[in-house]
Amino acid sequence: MAKVLEGLYYSESHEFVRVEGDYGFVGITDYAQNALGNVVYVDMPEVDDEVTAGEEFGAVESVKAASDLISPVSGTVVEINEALEDTPELINQDAFENWIIKVEMSDKGELDKLMDAAAYAEFCEK
């Protein structure tokens, strides 16, 4: 069973958001990295790019497949996880520690449309 952390928000496309104040750290879940296999490349937006909830902001490529990254929240990218540029496999080691982008959220109400840990765990079992 994939790891699901309490206190995060989850999307049906297997991204998570860890909220700190007005910022959301967005990455892929443990379930997603498990399904992908060995991650070999992460395509990330630039700092200052706008992301929109429900729309693509990049991609994760593994030896098996490429998967679009869908933003769970809207806002402005204030930071990217530069460690992933050289070491994308960090996502496989700990998907929750190795977020992909940090977003200054423009509408925290969007978080209400996402799942909590219990709902996401149930969603993954289906």
Side-chain angles (χ1 to χ4, degrees), residues 17 24 26 51-54 70-75 103 105 107 110-111 114:
V17 184
V26 177
V51 294
T52 303
I70 308 298
S71 187
V73 292
S74 301
V103 177
M105 295 181 289
D107 179 5
E110 291 173 339
L111 295 169
L114 300 171

Side-chain angles (χ1 to χ4, degrees), residues 72 86 91:
D86 296 325
I91 288 178

Side-chain angles (χ1 to χ4, degrees), residues 95-111:
F96 292 115
E97 273 301 305
N98 293 289
W99 51 272
I100 297 170
I101 57 172
K102 179 180 176 183
V103 177
E104 185 170 5
M105 295 181 289
S106 56
D107 179 5
K108 288 177 85 171
E110 291 173 339
L111 295 169

Side-chain angles (χ1 to χ4, degrees), residues 51-123:
V51 294
T52 303
E55 293 188 10
E56 181 186 330
F57 71 85
V60 174
E61 293 178 23
S62 72
V63 289
K64 290 198 284 194
S67 182
D68 289 339
L69 294 166
I70 308 298
S71 187
V73 292
S74 301
T76 305
V77 177
V78 293
E79 192 178 338
I80 62 168
N81 187 345
E82 292 179 3
L84 297 177
E85 291 178 328
D86 296 325
T87 324
E89 63 272 15
L90 288 170
I91 288 178
N92 295 120
Q93 292 167 22
D94 190 333
F96 292 115
E97 273 301 305
N98 293 289
W99 51 272
I100 297 170
I101 57 172
K102 179 180 176 183
V103 177
E104 185 170 5
M105 295 181 289
S106 56
D107 179 5
K108 288 177 85 171
E110 291 173 339
L111 295 169
D112 296 339
K113 299 181 182 120
L114 300 171
M115 291 176 273
D116 64 11
Y120 181 69
E122 193 175 305
F123 176 76

